[in-house]
Amino acid sequence: MGLDYLRSQTGKPWRKRWDGGLDRLKAPSLFDLNVSEAARTVTAELTGGCGVKAGDTLIVQIGSDGLTISDGLRAIGRVTNPSRELTTAVRDGGGYAEGVLQRVGLFGDTAEISVK
């Protein structure tokens, strides 16, 4: 029972046996992590006394001086200098986009909004 006997009886070495398994793990599947919905986060200036909280669904629309954030018919804030990418995405969506309030600032005058 030497080393030659064990090698001849066990077949392929462990690395060669799993060589094809590594290729299968790298192949895309149904649960591929690269497929995701793009979300952009932007900081908005809120108006006083708007009373919003984290998790609220808001409307982001294009205004004359940037983006306007609304809670239904009531404008609650604005983004004065949005990125070109975000402005293009909202414009391509018909001028409106859905946003979710992620966090309200410490003094209640700013908020981080995730735009879908």
Side-chain angles (χ1 to χ4, degrees):
M1 284 272 209
L3 187 58
D4 294 332
Y5 174 77
L6 291 175
R7 286 186 179 161
S8 67
Q9 296 300 319
T10 58
K12 291 183 179 180
W14 183 79
R15 284 189 180 191
K16 288 185 181 177
R17 203 175 303 156
W18 279 98
D19 191 26
L22 183 61
D23 292 334
R24 283 193 306 272
L25 286 175
K26 289 181 181 178
S29 65
L30 179 62
F31 301 108
D32 191 15
L33 296 178
N34 294 331
V35 178
S36 64
E37 184 176 306
R40 299 162 185 90
T41 303
V42 65
T43 303
E45 299 171 5
L46 297 176
T47 58
C50 59
V52 291
K53 60 185 182 304
D56 287 351
T57 302
L58 304 170
I59 299 169
V60 180
Q61 60 186 4
I62 295 192
S64 60
D65 60 341
L67 298 176
T68 304
I69 311 298
S70 303
D71 184 18
L73 297 175
R74 177 175 62 114
I76 60 166
R78 62 189 176 105
V79 180
T80 54
N81 194 11
S83 67
R84 182 175 294 150
E85 178 185 275
L86 181 61
T87 305
T88 304
V90 173
R91 186 172 288 126
D92 290 346
Y96 297 94
E98 179 184 352
V100 177
L101 193 104
Q102 297 295 326
R103 189 174 69 167
V104 179
L106 181 64
F107 300 112
D109 57 347
T110 60
E112 289 184 6
I113 299 170
S114 176
V115 181
K116 295 182 181 179

PDB file of all heavy atoms in Angstrom, residues 91-106:
ATOM      1  N   ARG A  91     -36.055  62.928 -16.970  1.00  0.00           N
ATOM      2  CA  ARG A  91     -36.650  63.430 -18.217  1.00  0.00           C
ATOM      3  C   ARG A  91     -37.083  62.273 -19.118  1.00  0.00           C
ATOM      4  O   ARG A  91     -38.137  62.331 -19.747  1.00  0.00           O
ATOM      5  CB  ARG A  91     -35.650  64.323 -18.951  1.00  0.00           C
ATOM      6  CG  ARG A  91     -36.253  64.985 -20.183  1.00  0.00           C
ATOM      7  CD  ARG A  91     -35.319  66.014 -20.773  1.00  0.00           C
ATOM      8  NE  ARG A  91     -35.276  67.194 -19.904  1.00  0.00           N
ATOM      9  CZ  ARG A  91     -34.145  67.709 -19.412  1.00  0.00           C
ATOM     10  NH1 ARG A  91     -32.989  67.173 -19.699  1.00  0.00           N
ATOM     11  NH2 ARG A  91     -34.192  68.776 -18.652  1.00  0.00           N
ATOM     12  N   ASP A  92     -36.278  61.212 -19.201  1.00  0.00           N
ATOM     13  CA  ASP A  92     -36.635  60.044 -20.016  1.00  0.00           C
ATOM     14  C   ASP A  92     -37.855  59.313 -19.458  1.00  0.00           C
ATOM     15  O   ASP A  92     -38.548  58.617 -20.191  1.00  0.00           O
ATOM     16  CB  ASP A  92     -35.459  59.080 -20.120  1.00  0.00           C
ATOM     17  CG  ASP A  92     -34.331  59.632 -20.969  1.00  0.00           C
ATOM     18  OD1 ASP A  92     -34.559  60.625 -21.690  1.00  0.00           O
ATOM     19  OD2 ASP A  92     -33.214  59.076 -20.897  1.00  0.00           O
ATOM     20  N   GLY A  93     -38.117  59.477 -18.172  1.00  0.00           N
ATOM     21  CA  GLY A  93     -39.284  58.850 -17.548  1.00  0.00           C
ATOM     22  C   GLY A  93     -40.536  59.701 -17.654  1.00  0.00           C
ATOM     23  O   GLY A  93     -41.481  59.487 -16.894  1.00  0.00           O
ATOM     24  N   GLY A  94     -40.548  60.685 -18.532  1.00  0.00           N
ATOM     25  CA  GLY A  94     -41.723  61.521 -18.719  1.00  0.00           C
ATOM     26  C   GLY A  94     -41.727  62.755 -17.826  1.00  0.00           C
ATOM     27  O   GLY A  94     -42.745  63.421 -17.697  1.00  0.00           O
ATOM     28  N   GLY A  95     -40.602  63.060 -17.202  1.00  0.00           N
ATOM     29  CA  GLY A  95     -40.519  64.230 -16.334  1.00  0.00           C
ATOM     30  C   GLY A  95     -40.798  63.929 -14.875  1.00  0.00           C
ATOM     31  O   GLY A  95     -40.680  64.800 -14.022  1.00  0.00           O
ATOM     32  N   TYR A  96     -41.176  62.678 -14.565  1.00  0.00           N
ATOM     33  CA  TYR A  96     -41.483  62.276 -13.196  1.00  0.00           C
ATOM     34  C   TYR A  96     -40.741  60.998 -12.862  1.00  0.00           C
ATOM     35  O   TYR A  96     -40.487  60.165 -13.723  1.00  0.00           O
ATOM     36  CB  TYR A  96     -42.987  62.017 -13.022  1.00  0.00           C
ATOM     37  CG  TYR A  96     -43.842  63.242 -13.245  1.00  0.00           C
ATOM     38  CD1 TYR A  96     -44.403  63.501 -14.486  1.00  0.00           C
ATOM     39  CD2 TYR A  96     -44.075  64.127 -12.213  1.00  0.00           C
ATOM     40  CE1 TYR A  96     -45.173  64.618 -14.697  1.00  0.00           C
ATOM     41  CE2 TYR A  96     -44.853  65.254 -12.409  1.00  0.00           C
ATOM     42  CZ  TYR A  96     -45.396  65.492 -13.651  1.00  0.00           C
ATOM     43  OH  TYR A  96     -46.158  66.609 -13.852  1.00  0.00           O
ATOM     44  N   ALA A  97     -40.414  60.838 -11.584  1.00  0.00           N
ATOM     45  CA  ALA A  97     -39.790  59.602 -11.105  1.00  0.00           C
ATOM     46  C   ALA A  97     -40.250  59.360  -9.668  1.00  0.00           C
ATOM     47  O   ALA A  97     -40.669  60.284  -8.966  1.00  0.00           O
ATOM     48  CB  ALA A  97     -38.282  59.691 -11.168  1.00  0.00           C
ATOM     49  N   GLU A  98     -40.166  58.119  -9.261  1.00  0.00           N
ATOM     50  CA  GLU A  98     -40.522  57.751  -7.889  1.00  0.00           C
ATOM     51  C   GLU A  98     -39.271  57.807  -7.025  1.00  0.00           C
ATOM     52  O   GLU A  98     -38.206  57.358  -7.412  1.00  0.00           O
ATOM     53  CB  GLU A  98     -41.098  56.339  -7.864  1.00  0.00           C
ATOM     54  CG  GLU A  98     -41.468  55.856  -6.487  1.00  0.00           C
ATOM     55  CD  GLU A  98     -41.943  54.414  -6.488  1.00  0.00           C
ATOM     56  OE1 GLU A  98     -42.130  53.852  -7.568  1.00  0.00           O
ATOM     57  OE2 GLU A  98     -42.112  53.876  -5.387  1.00  0.00           O
ATOM     58  N   GLY A  99     -39.422  58.354  -5.839  1.00  0.00           N
ATOM     59  CA  GLY A  99     -38.316  58.428  -4.897  1.00  0.00           C
ATOM     60  C   GLY A  99     -38.742  57.915  -3.538  1.00  0.00           C
ATOM     61  O   GLY A  99     -39.907  58.014  -3.158  1.00  0.00           O
ATOM     62  N   VAL A 100     -37.796  57.344  -2.809  1.00  0.00           N
ATOM     63  CA  VAL A 100     -38.052  56.859  -1.460  1.00  0.00           C
ATOM     64  C   VAL A 100     -37.117  57.612  -0.522  1.00  0.00           C
ATOM     65  O   VAL A 100     -35.912  57.669  -0.748  1.00  0.00           O
ATOM     66  CB  VAL A 100     -37.814  55.336  -1.352  1.00  0.00           C
ATOM     67  CG1 VAL A 100     -38.010  54.860   0.072  1.00  0.00           C
ATOM     68  CG2 VAL A 100     -38.726  54.589  -2.294  1.00  0.00           C
ATOM     69  N   LEU A 101     -37.669  58.201   0.514  1.00  0.00           N
ATOM     70  CA  LEU A 101     -36.887  58.960   1.474  1.00  0.00           C
ATOM     71  C   LEU A 101     -36.075  57.992   2.322  1.00  0.00           C
ATOM     72  O   LEU A 101     -36.651  57.159   3.022  1.00  0.00           O
ATOM     73  CB  LEU A 101     -37.811  59.809   2.348  1.00  0.00           C
ATOM     74  CG  LEU A 101     -37.085  60.846   3.152  1.00  0.00           C
ATOM     75  CD1 LEU A 101     -37.286  62.212   2.507  1.00  0.00           C
ATOM     76  CD2 LEU A 101     -37.584  60.874   4.558  1.00  0.00           C
ATOM     77  N   GLN A 102     -34.773  58.088   2.247  1.00  0.00           N
ATOM     78  CA  GLN A 102     -33.899  57.180   2.981  1.00  0.00           C
ATOM     79  C   GLN A 102     -33.578  57.703   4.381  1.00  0.00           C
ATOM     80  O   GLN A 102     -33.587  56.947   5.333  1.00  0.00           O
ATOM     81  CB  GLN A 102     -32.588  56.966   2.210  1.00  0.00           C
ATOM     82  CG  GLN A 102     -32.763  56.322   0.866  1.00  0.00           C
ATOM     83  CD  GLN A 102     -33.289  54.913   0.973  1.00  0.00           C
ATOM     84  OE1 GLN A 102     -32.973  54.178   1.902  1.00  0.00           O
ATOM     85  NE2 GLN A 102     -34.118  54.522   0.033  1.00  0.00           N
ATOM     86  N   ARG A 103     -33.275  59.008   4.452  1.00  0.00           N
ATOM     87  CA  ARG A 103     -32.858  59.563   5.745  1.00  0.00           C
ATOM     88  C   ARG A 103     -33.136  61.057   5.785  1.00  0.00           C
ATOM     89  O   ARG A 103     -32.958  61.750   4.787  1.00  0.00           O
ATOM     90  CB  ARG A 103     -31.367  59.305   5.927  1.00  0.00           C
ATOM     91  CG  ARG A 103     -30.839  59.613   7.289  1.00  0.00           C
ATOM     92  CD  ARG A 103     -29.423  59.194   7.410  1.00  0.00           C
ATOM     93  NE  ARG A 103     -28.603  60.054   6.576  1.00  0.00           N
ATOM     94  CZ  ARG A 103     -27.296  60.120   6.637  1.00  0.00           C
ATOM     95  NH1 ARG A 103     -26.655  59.331   7.459  1.00  0.00           N
ATOM     96  NH2 ARG A 103     -26.619  60.930   5.854  1.00  0.00           N
ATOM     97  N   VAL A 104     -33.572  61.554   6.929  1.00  0.00           N
ATOM     98  CA  VAL A 104     -33.787  62.987   7.133  1.00  0.00           C
ATOM     99  C   VAL A 104     -32.612  63.504   7.949  1.00  0.00           C
ATOM    100  O   VAL A 104     -32.155  62.848   8.884  1.00  0.00           O
ATOM    101  CB  VAL A 104     -35.128  63.253   7.863  1.00  0.00           C
ATOM    102  CG1 VAL A 104     -35.326  64.742   8.096  1.00  0.00           C
ATOM    103  CG2 VAL A 104     -36.271  62.683   7.074  1.00  0.00           C
ATOM    104  N   GLY A 105     -32.119  64.684   7.581  1.00  0.00           N
ATOM    105  CA  GLY A 105     -30.990  65.276   8.288  1.00  0.00           C
ATOM    106  C   GLY A 105     -31.300  65.576   9.741  1.00  0.00           C
ATOM    107  O   GLY A 105     -32.456  65.576  10.181  1.00  0.00           O
ATOM    108  N   LEU A 106     -30.265  65.889  10.501  1.00  0.00           N
ATOM    109  CA  LEU A 106     -30.381  66.115  11.934  1.00  0.00           C
ATOM    110  C   LEU A 106     -31.310  67.275  12.266  1.00  0.00           C
ATOM    111  O   LEU A 106     -32.121  67.197  13.192  1.00  0.00           O
ATOM    112  CB  LEU A 106     -28.985  66.377  12.519  1.00  0.00           C
ATOM    113  CG  LEU A 106     -28.908  66.610  14.015  1.00  0.00           C
ATOM    114  CD1 LEU A 106     -29.346  65.363  14.764  1.00  0.00           C
ATOM    115  CD2 LEU A 106     -27.497  66.985  14.414  1.00  0.00           C
TER     116      LEU A 106
END
